[in-house]
Amino acid sequence: MRIGDAAAAAGTTPRALRFYEQNGLLPPPRRTATGQREYGPRDVARVRIIRQLLSLGLTVADVRSCADRLDIFEGDSLPPYGDPRACDGSSGVVQRRIAALDEEIARLTRLRENLAARVAPVEART
């Protein structure tokens, strides 16, 4: 199928497919004699996996670090956490992302508390 059909089947856009290819998340697809990209069902399933990983808060760099394992997934759904096929295995991608999110939550919480303290009525500050 052509890029527009593959993108629609995966729930995304042709631009996203080209972006995934340029960033090493999606291998270069086969090309027709006229140079148009052609995708198969496995490519569509891979794009769905990529979209799931990105929607869970992983970055493009995180997904790229485990892109070599994306083809071993069956279908278009993620394996359970801890499954050796997942991106959370020995590379620690998921653990690092969770730690980064925890740090960001703590930073935002401190920022919110500081802002709230500054705008609190004078009576509440004494």
Side-chain angles (χ1 to χ4, degrees):
M1 69 186 85
R2 298 290 193 324
I3 193 168
D5 296 328
T12 191
T13 64
R15 184 176 179 182
L17 294 187
R18 288 189 290 272
F19 176 82
Y20 297 156
E21 181 184 342
Q22 291 167 351
N23 284 280
L25 307 182
L26 190 62
R30 295 177 307 279
R31 299 280 184 150
T32 66
T34 59
Q36 292 183 319
R37 292 170 169 88
E38 279 202 330
Y39 297 90
R42 288 189 59 96
D43 298 313
V44 171
R46 182 182 177 108
V47 170
R48 288 182 180 148
I49 293 283
I50 291 167
R51 289 176 45 82
Q52 287 179 56
L53 292 168
L54 294 172
S55 74
L56 289 170
L58 295 180
T59 66
V60 169
D62 293 336
V63 177
R64 185 183 315 113
S65 73
C66 61
D68 61 326
R69 287 178 270 168
L70 296 181
D71 285 334
I72 62 175
F73 296 146
E74 296 174 17
D76 59 3
S77 59
L78 294 171
Y81 182 79
D83 187 301
R85 298 172 297 163
C87 286
D88 61 335
S90 61
S91 65
V93 170
V94 171
Q95 292 82 4
R96 283 194 305 275
R97 180 56 42 212
I98 289 171
L101 289 170
D102 287 342
E103 288 175 18
E104 183 66 4
I105 289 167
R107 184 188 73 78
L108 290 171
T109 300
R110 286 189 308 272
L111 184 62
R112 186 206 177 281
E113 290 168 354
N114 288 339
L115 179 59
R118 287 208 180 250
V119 297
V122 174
E123 305 85 45
R125 286 189 250 167
T126 57

